[in-house]
Amino acid sequence: MTVTLVNPNGLPKPDVYRQLSIASGSKLVFLAGQVARDADGRPVGEGDFAAQVEQCYLNIGTALAEIGGSFDDVAKLTIYVVDWSPEKMPLLGEGVGRAAAKLGIDPVKPITLLGVAALGEPDLLVEVEATAVIE
């Protein structure tokens, strides 16, 4: 399976994400939104946005590894952030960077970022949903 990331001509070319991905493989995977919970369901990074982002990305990597894939197989991410403001962008980048270092991956993917009023539990600051393609 390969995911080719592209910033096509005629569109902005951001550094932190790509405008589209071209995925080839035989299995389309829709991963439920991942939140800042460890394997036992305990909260991670209470009140710490960057730590919660990191845990979400790590959970995606863990889930995909369980079925023979990896974070590299992610074709698209949707990130839901409680009370989003542009001031949170550096913390988002920090959390993504820490997860990328631990997973040994390039985290740059097509991303949709949505600000929301709340998530499923009051301590959650972020939720990350992934679509992947694996062999």
Side-chain angles (χ1 to χ4, degrees), residues 5-109:
L5 301 170
V6 179
N7 272 331
N9 290 328
L11 292 178
K13 294 177 177 36
D15 293 330
V16 297
Y17 69 93
R18 297 298 175 261
Q19 295 288 2
L20 60 91
S21 64
I22 303 163
S24 61
S26 58
K27 193 182 301 183
L28 190 56
V29 179
F30 298 95
L31 184 60
Q34 296 300 299
V35 296
R37 297 286 186 265
D38 67 14
D40 296 319
R42 292 184 299 252
V44 174
E46 196 165 339
D48 183 338
F49 180 64
Q52 289 197 17
V53 169
E54 177 183 4
Q55 187 64 43
C56 293
Y57 272 62
L58 294 175
N59 288 351
I60 290 168
T62 297
L64 292 172
E66 181 69 19
I67 60 170
S70 74
F71 199 95
D72 288 329
D73 298 317
V74 171
K76 168 109 176 34
L77 296 167
T78 302
I79 303 174
Y80 302 89
V81 179
V82 174
D83 297 324
W84 171 257
S85 68
E87 292 78 28
K88 291 184 179 180
M89 187 60 84
L91 294 172
L92 176 66
E94 179 184 329
V96 169
R98 290 194 318 230
K102 287 181 180 176
L103 293 168
I105 53 103
D106 179 354
V108 175
K109 304 289 182 180

